[in-house]
Amino acid sequence: MHNKKNDLFRRFEEMPSRLYIFFGTLLMALFTALCVYTEVSVTLLGFSFILLYAVSCTLVFLFSRRRRLLFRSENAAEEAQSEGVIAAFRDSLTLPYAVITEGGRIVAVNAAMREAFPLRDTFYQLPIAELCSLPIDGILRDASYRLQREEQSEGDTDTVHRTPVITAIGDRSYTVDCYPVHSRGQLFYMLVFHDVTEHQALIRLHEATTPVVAYIVLDNLEQIAQYVKGSYRTEAVKVEGILKQFAKSLHGVIREYDRDKYLLLLTKEALSSCIKNKFEILDEIRDVRIGDDSIPLTVSIGIAATGDTLAEREHDALAALDTALQRGGDQVVLRNEQGVFYFGGRTKGQQKRTAGHARVVASKLCSMICAASNVVVMGHANPDFDCIGACVGIATLAHYVGVPVRIVTNRHHESFKSCTAQLCESEDYRNVFVDGVQALSECSFSTLVIIVDANNFAILEAPEIAKKSFKTVVIDHHIKKEDFEVEPEIVYIDPSASSASEMVSEMLEQTLPAGVLRKEEANVLLAGIMLDTKNFTRNVGTRTFSAALHLRSAGASTEVCRTFFEEAFDDYRAEAIFGARVEMYRDRIAITTSEGTDSPHDRVAAAKAADKLLTVRQVNAAFALVRVGENIHISARSDGTVNVQLILEKIGGGGHFDMAGAALADRSVEEAKRLLCEAIDEYFEPNKRKSAEA
């Protein structure tokens, strides 16, 4: 309305000049006609023309001046009234708002805004950023985009969605909406503040009281009790008391749903306190000892704070518990919205497998092999004796049930050549070893893919085969770090086993009749066990010797296996470089580095160097760093008192309690060494890092 009146006033202002021209033209035409058609003198006509023009102009001027003054007085009164109404509305509006320029400076506020900032005398030209923490550039950019959308949609603002921004003003919380405003040819922005303090408090209360599901299981209590004289139930009852007191301190509910297995319900707020103290309950339970050897009791805990329902959290908690057990126990696996987190894992896991368990897995695996059209067996890239031995063991099982089998591996790798030379001469294995391309071409819907000695599909010899498989089995002794995208048909992961060859050998013992396993196959399997146990000196259990005894009865020879480990002179020289660059860290950690020799066997040399450093007195853990291409490879070994897996997990690696590895990209050897030392410090002093973060 105001714009229409301005247009009318502008047209009225232009009217006198148009009247002057009109009357002047009319009189000129009359003067010309009188001069032509009458005999009146030109002087008299000219004088008359001038007089008439002056009179008409005077009348027009007086008339327009009166109308102009009247219109201006009415317009001024209306504008004053309008400004008064706007001022009254602005002061009476309970929502605080501020009008700012494109540069973020305040040009106007209302009374409610002044009350929100009572200490401010003036707000004019004050940057809005000094009042509240607002991402002003993003807000104005979003408002300008909405303005363009509104103009393109011809004022249809229903399709424009405004996302509020939350900011804190004193002890109150506000959401901020931004609206572009045009005034006198300039663009301003109106920021409207909505008090959502109580709403945010309700959200925080809801988040804090959201129920969380946890499963707790005592690790291998019965297996440990086999080596303990007398009853072990006293210690189990003591652990139960600790768990109940733990639940009481968290205001949670705990129930035993099976022998030595518990279900715990707690809130997210209570879970946050557990995360802050790094689940000290693990250390408290670990102080409970059994027998004369003072064997510590441990628990595995799976916790889930994900999902919209209790049923979903219960399912995720079971999966988290399964992961904790597969990682060796004595730890907490937490699933929340940010991902999967691990706590604990500072004791070496006891052997969990039994002959009955291996028999069940072997029976189910045989049924799946019989139902498949063909079998593809695959391990990790850069295969070692353990990987090759486990593959050969599965191929033996497939040959026994009469199903075609292919082993995907790198046939040019030195480890493969040294341990399969005699095996490849056999008719049954002449066409078994293939590359990934050939194996992929033979895969179909009914193909069974069996992964051994690895549970991370990214490091397999042919990852695309595993990703496209409809039926997959995983058999591994490495700690599981992440969930599978598609859950395999069988997941047989036991970090307490010395090697994948040991696990497969035990399955063959439960499945194959005597005389079926050839001595060439047994030699490769035994070589895999010897590699990962360092000739039966590390990570060895009773089941390890049992598997070796079965292989020995099938014709395996340690003398033949020893020839597989003979190394070339270049490998020996690469290993010698590490010996000259050893440093001691924290008095009991040995660290050695090498820039590498551009040999594909540098990683093997690093592993051997770490193994050799463990033979040095008072060395509890050893780390060997070597450059392999663009990456820095780290091999870690421990005597069982230091969990090198936890240390390398902090820099993206993983493995076992006493044997682990990592690869760092785009780093120098010195940078990788610095990151490793920081991870070691965090392992030995977790509370120091926690206090620094606080």
Side-chain angles (χ1 to χ4, degrees), residues 458-478:
I459 65 172
L460 298 179
E461 184 68 39
E464 62 278 1
I465 295 179
K467 291 180 180 179
K468 296 180 179 180
S469 172
F470 294 97
K471 297 178 182 178
T472 308
V473 173
V474 176
I475 302 173
D476 188 25
H477 69 117
H478 296 100

Side-chain angles (χ1 to χ4, degrees), residues 75 86 112 123 261 282 303 356 364 380 478 486 520 567 593:
N75 191 54
I86 293 175
F123 289 90
K261 298 179 180 179
L282 295 175
I303 305 177
K364 186 174 180 180
H380 55 77
H478 296 100
V486 178
E520 293 83 6
E567 59 182 356
T593 61

Side-chain angles (χ1 to χ4, degrees), residues 613-628:
L613 285 174
L614 277 185
T615 62
V616 179
R617 187 174 302 168
Q618 294 183 346
V619 172
N620 299 127
F623 297 86
L625 293 77
V626 62
R627 177 175 296 282
V628 180

Side-chain angles (χ1 to χ4, degrees), residues 221 224-235 290-292:
L221 186 59
I224 295 176
Q226 294 176 4
Y227 307 98
V228 178
K229 296 180 180 179
S231 175
Y232 59 87
R233 295 311 306 173
T234 302
E235 288 77 7
I290 291 182
D292 298 334

Side-chain angles (χ1 to χ4, degrees), residues 330-377:
D330 185 30
Q331 57 192 283
V332 176
V333 177
L334 168 63
R335 290 168 174 254
N336 59 19
E337 293 81 0
Q338 287 74 41
V340 181
F341 299 90
Y342 308 99
F343 303 87
R346 291 178 172 269
T347 59
K348 190 173 181 180
Q350 303 293 324
Q351 282 196 344
K352 299 180 175 60
R353 293 172 298 115
T354 63
H357 188 192
R359 187 182 303 111
V360 170
V361 174
S363 177
K364 186 174 180 180
L365 180 60
C366 287
S367 298
M368 294 187 64
I369 293 176
C370 292
S373 60
N374 62 315
V375 175
V376 173
V377 189

Side-chain angles (χ1 to χ4, degrees), residues 55-110:
V55 171
S56 62
C57 288
T58 301
L59 292 175
V60 170
F61 173 74
L62 293 176
F63 174 77
S64 62
R65 181 172 178 272
R66 179 175 177 277
R67 296 291 298 172
R68 186 164 53 251
L69 292 175
L70 180 62
F71 185 81
R72 285 180 176 176
S73 63
E74 292 177 355
N75 191 54
E78 185 176 345
E79 288 184 352
Q81 184 179 5
S82 176
E83 289 293 336
V85 172
I86 293 175
F89 174 75
R90 179 184 61 197
D91 293 335
S92 63
L93 188 64
T94 58
L95 292 177
Y97 76 81
V99 180
I100 64 174
T101 63
E102 295 183 84
R105 293 187 175 273
I106 300 175
V107 295
V109 297
N110 65 340

